[in-house]
Amino acid sequence: MSGIWQKPVSHGDILKKVWKHMDLGVLQSKHPFHTPVFGTVCDGAPELRVVVLRRFWRSPARLAFHAHSGSPKLAHIRSNPTVNWVFYHPGENFQARISGLAQIHLDDELADEQWDATSLFARRCYIGKAPSGVSKKPTHGMPDEIVNREPTPEESREGRKNFAVISTQIVKVDVMELDVRGHRRSLFEWSNGELAMKWLTP
Ligand SMILES: Cc1cc2nc3c(=O)[nH]c(=O)nc-3n(C[C@H](O)[C@H](O)[C@H](O)COP(=O)(O)O)c2cc1C
């Protein structure tokens, strides 16, 4: 029977595995790390939603996704930048819970870089209305004329003012690796650029 207890492992090996899957999550749309859960705090209560992982930096460790600038999660972050991410890889049998501090990018180099990398089709989300508004009838939130087609480059520019990148400076990574013979859990915590590592009971 193979599993996590078969060979010795270091904290470094575990973090390397997590980072590898972050890289793959950005690149591969079918990878389980492509669509993590992102949590904010709103009036003291957790608010969770699925997002698409768009960027990952190793050192210092950061993550980012794209959002409509009018979406409620931006207001949550402005009042409390403490956020959480959850990733689960069913094939590799592990979960990574990440806590950190979020930053909103509307008009800086990162926002420009990410906007330039979006397809015309993807820009439709930002041409439309912000998520979470109430509508009298079912709505996609976009102008009707672009529902079934790609916007022209000129039309797509309308979305830039609503486009935000939300980055997270990673402060803590809690990794739970599942194994029938016994799970294994490790914690990585950054403080003033220094990384501390601990084993936890699962
Ligand atoms: C597979 C999937 C991917 C999603 N990706 C994003 C995303 O990258 N950014 C985003 O703002 N919302 C994304 N959403 C929508 C959010 O889950 C959420 O419904 C929306 O952003 C409203 O969130 P808020 O009201 O908490 O701001 C995605 C939803 C699904 C199901």
Side-chain angles (χ1 to χ4, degrees), residues 40-43 47 49 71-81:
T40 50
V41 180
C42 171
D43 298 331
E47 286 268 356
R49 80 284 290 155
S71 58
K73 61 183 91 55
L74 274 82
H76 306 166
I77 291 166
R78 287 188 178 107
S79 73
N80 184 349

Side-chain angles (χ1 to χ4, degrees), residues 35 49-52 65-68 71-73 131-132:
T35 44
R49 80 284 290 155
V50 173
V51 297
V52 172
F65 70 96
H66 300 164
H68 192 295
S71 58
K73 61 183 91 55
S132 307

